[in-house]
Every structure is written in C-alpha cells, then in structure tokens.
Amino acid sequence: MGAFIKLILSIIINPVVLAGIGVSWYIIFHYGLDNYRQLLSVPYIYVFLWGFCLIYALVLKHVYVPNSNKVDWWATFKSSFGHLLVMLLTIVVACSVYYVSQDNWGEKLDRYARNQKVQDTLPINQQRTINQQRY
C-alpha cells in the first residue's frame, strides 16, 4: 500500500505533470472547453510546450552516459519529447476530467428515460416512424 501511495505522489509531484495541470486550468478558465479543440490545433502551442519540456530536461533531468559522470546531451534532448508527451497527456486528461465532472449526467439520463417511456406507450407504427426519423 505504501508503494502505491509513493507512486501516485511521484506522478502528481512531477513538475511536467504540474505544468500540464496548470496549462489545462488556464485553457479551461480563459478559453473554455468550447475552444479547446480549436486551441490545440495551433502549432505554436506545441512549440511553447516543447520548449518548456526541453528546458526542464536540459536543466533538471540530465541523461548520463552509463557508468560515467558525463551527460549524454543527445539522449537528454530526446527525453524532452517524452516529457512533452507526458504534458500533453496530462492536459487532455485534466480537461476531460473537468468536462465530465461539470456535465449534468443525471439530467441527461432522466431526459433519455422520459423519451424511452413516451416511445413505449406509442403504437408500433408510430414507434417505427420516430426511430426512422432519428437515424
């Protein structure tokens, strides 16, 4: 149990994950979820996020040559793309969690149940007509 808590805390306290959560909250509160897809289609955002990940990798997350104290700069550069993927995944998951938590699922299910109840009381001929209009 202690190892699981340590794993969760190491994921949450990761600076790239925290930056991804910060970016997702900025997107949610300044642009809204309606503009989320449009905003993520702008390539400059990916360059900015990759720049942050590159600086993080170069300053804090060096990759060393095995059995040496020398920094492998090429491997450190390539690791910045892994950090970028983590950040993008964090942004997508955080925005999705916010979207799902803000939606009124109870009302939608209630409306669906009322619609099904009305259809069940109709004669067979009218049910087919309604179903054909839907599709």
Side-chain angles (χ1 to χ4, degrees):
M1 183 67 175
F4 179 73
I5 293 172
K6 186 176 178 181
L7 175 70
I8 297 297
L9 286 176
S10 68
I11 290 172
I12 293 174
I13 297 177
N14 185 346
V16 173
V17 172
L18 290 175
I21 292 172
V23 169
S24 66
W25 282 105
Y26 184 79
I27 289 171
I28 289 167
F29 291 118
H30 289 286
Y31 294 103
L33 291 173
D34 300 332
N35 299 329
Y36 174 69
R37 287 178 54 197
Q38 186 178 21
L39 185 66
L40 289 180
S41 67
V42 178
Y44 299 113
I45 291 174
Y46 297 108
V47 172
F48 172 74
L49 294 176
W50 177 72
F52 173 80
C53 292
L54 180 64
I55 290 171
Y56 172 71
L58 291 175
V59 173
L60 298 174
K61 289 298 237 181
H62 299 301
V63 177
Y64 291 97
V65 176
N67 301 326
S68 170
N69 287 335
K70 294 176 65 177
V71 175
D72 187 356
W73 293 108
W74 179 244
T76 303
F77 175 76
K78 290 188 298 185
S79 73
S80 68
F81 293 106
H83 296 304
L84 177 65
L85 289 176
V86 169
M87 182 180 284
L88 291 175
L89 181 68
T90 303
I91 291 170
V92 169
V93 168
C95 287
S96 299
V97 166
Y98 180 80
Y99 174 74
V100 168
S101 68
Q102 293 300 314
D103 208 7
N104 192 356
W105 294 100
E107 181 181 327
K108 286 184 177 180
L109 290 174
D110 200 28
R111 194 173 13 176
Y112 175 75
R114 274 187 266 131
N115 186 26
Q116 289 296 56
K117 185 175 182 181
V118 169
Q119 280 191 8
D120 291 342
T121 59
L122 293 174
I124 295 291
N125 301 357
Q126 290 178 351
Q127 284 183 7
R128 286 188 190 140
T129 307
I130 290 173
N131 289 334
Q132 288 171 354
Q133 288 174 354
R134 251 192 225 158
Y135 304 110

